[in-house]
Amino acid sequence: MEQEHSPLARAAHVRRLRAADPDLHPPVGCSEALVNAGEDAPVYRLLPITGVESARDTTARAIRAAMASTLHQAAQQSTGIDFCLPRATIDGSRKSPRESPVVIVDAVVGAPLAASYEEDPPDRQELQRALLGQWILGRPTPDWSDFERGPDGGIVAREFTTPEGSLRDICRAADSGVSKLFRTPDGRHVSPLAGQPLEGHLRDAILRLQELDVQKALVHGKRELEGHLPDDMLLSLKLVPQLLAPLRALKRAVEAADPRLPLEMLMRDAANCLEDIEALEFRR
């Protein structure tokens, strides 16, 4: 299976697939479309960016998907870690007025992770990466239903956007309790995550993360999106400091924690750090 390495090559690849089937062009006002590249090949979800009133929710979702992917890719480049998140890129080319710029998302179409847990339980390191990936997006308490098995058998998150709410809402979610990933899907036993520290190579990766590089990537991604958005949707773009706050809180917690600290306690520390950031920098 050929991998499209750049956003431009990826967009061109999906455009060729769409050209073969006119029904795959999401018309203005359409919620989304799926492009299937064939057996054992990627499935792409196309989220249109449009100013049509009936599609505002879809456009807002496309914006959140694009910024989440920018955040993930920047964190991945800085740390060398795959956080189990699907990729999203923008294709702004349009050949007719009925077409909208689209955000191309790698659709997750595998088996639910919970369904395969008994026969093929995920290892601790992969679960830790998945948990950290959701935290970075601002989703601090993911459930087993939030993940599926990708084409290669690895974990991939079903949710690929930053949340709709404010940073304060993220703090409330983080304060509501630990992720259900710390117990088995049936809730009867602890999972491989429970009572174990963050893997050493993941800890080292978080510590070497360059926040400024991630911030620059987010600023660039935000500017690119602004060029495709109708004026009345510009306010739906979250501020870069808000998008970066969960990642900053995670790094701050890792820096201060004993390497032997169990992960659930480390995530509690990260929640406290996020609360401090929100109170000091965002509350007015």
Side-chain angles (χ1 to χ4, degrees):
M1 182 174 65
E2 184 179 353
Q3 177 74 27
E4 301 83 43
H5 295 290
S6 72
L8 287 176
R10 175 180 158 92
H13 174 69
V14 173
R15 280 199 302 272
R16 288 194 295 271
L17 295 172
R18 294 168 68 188
D21 186 348
D23 292 335
L24 294 180
H25 294 261
V28 173
C30 176
S31 60
E32 65 177 52
L34 288 176
V35 174
N36 194 331
E39 187 176 357
D40 297 325
V43 176
Y44 302 100
R45 176 175 281 113
L46 309 182
L47 306 179
I49 298 174
T50 172
V52 176
E53 184 65 29
S54 61
R56 288 181 67 86
D57 289 345
T58 301
T59 295
R61 184 165 172 251
I63 292 169
R64 297 198 310 274
M67 292 306 294
S69 183
T70 298
L71 176 59
H72 174 222
Q73 289 180 53
Q76 186 174 1
Q77 288 176 2
S78 184
T79 62
I81 299 298
D82 178 7
F83 293 100
C84 304
L85 294 165
R87 188 183 184 197
T89 53
I90 302 171
D91 180 9
S93 62
R94 287 181 287 179
K95 293 186 177 180
S96 73
R98 71 184 290 267
E99 292 184 48
S100 302
V102 295
V103 174
I104 305 169
V105 182
D106 289 338
V108 182
V109 293
L113 185 59
S116 62
Y117 184 89
E118 292 296 331
E119 294 183 0
D120 185 20
D123 65 45
R124 182 169 63 245
Q125 183 259 120
E126 191 174 25
L127 278 176
Q128 288 188 355
R129 288 192 289 111
L131 177 69
L132 295 181
Q134 291 299 294
W135 172 272
I136 288 170
L137 291 193
R139 300 181 178 277
T141 55
D143 198 342
W144 288 98
S145 61
D146 295 325
F147 302 95
E148 297 191 359
R149 292 284 187 186
D152 61 355
I155 297 176
V156 183
R158 297 181 63 190
E159 187 51 75
F160 49 81
T161 72
T162 55
E164 293 184 66
S166 66
L167 186 58
R168 185 65 192 147
D169 294 326
I170 296 173
C171 290
R172 292 192 186 100
D175 196 47
S176 66
V178 299
S179 167
K180 292 184 179 179
L181 296 183
F182 286 99
R183 298 196 67 83
T184 56
D186 60 13
R188 296 178 181 177
H189 308 284
V190 295
S191 78
L193 280 183
Q196 299 296 321
L198 184 64
E199 293 281 332
H201 75 284
L202 293 177
R203 175 183 172 82
D204 293 342
I206 296 298
L207 290 176
R208 67 173 176 264
L209 183 139
Q210 298 297 314
E211 294 177 18
L212 184 59
D213 290 345
V214 179
Q215 180 179 337
K216 288 178 179 178
L218 286 171
V219 170
H220 177 78
K222 186 171 182 285
R223 287 175 179 166
E224 182 183 6
L225 262 177
E226 287 172 345
H228 298 294
L229 291 177
D231 291 343
D232 61 347
M233 290 297 294
L234 289 175
L235 290 177
S236 62
L237 273 170
K238 289 187 178 180
L239 298 176
V240 166
Q242 180 176 342
L243 292 168
L244 191 58
L247 187 57
R248 289 176 56 209
L250 176 63
K251 183 177 181 181
R252 185 179 296 181
V254 171
E255 287 173 337
D258 187 309
R260 297 167 296 180
L261 187 71
L263 182 58
E264 53 267 51
M265 297 179 67
L266 176 63
M267 301 314 293
R268 171 52 52 198
D269 288 351
N272 292 336
C273 290
L274 186 63
E275 181 80 25
D276 291 342
I277 290 172
E278 193 275 335
L280 291 172
E281 301 179 20
F282 293 89
R283 223 176 278 180
R284 295 178 180 176

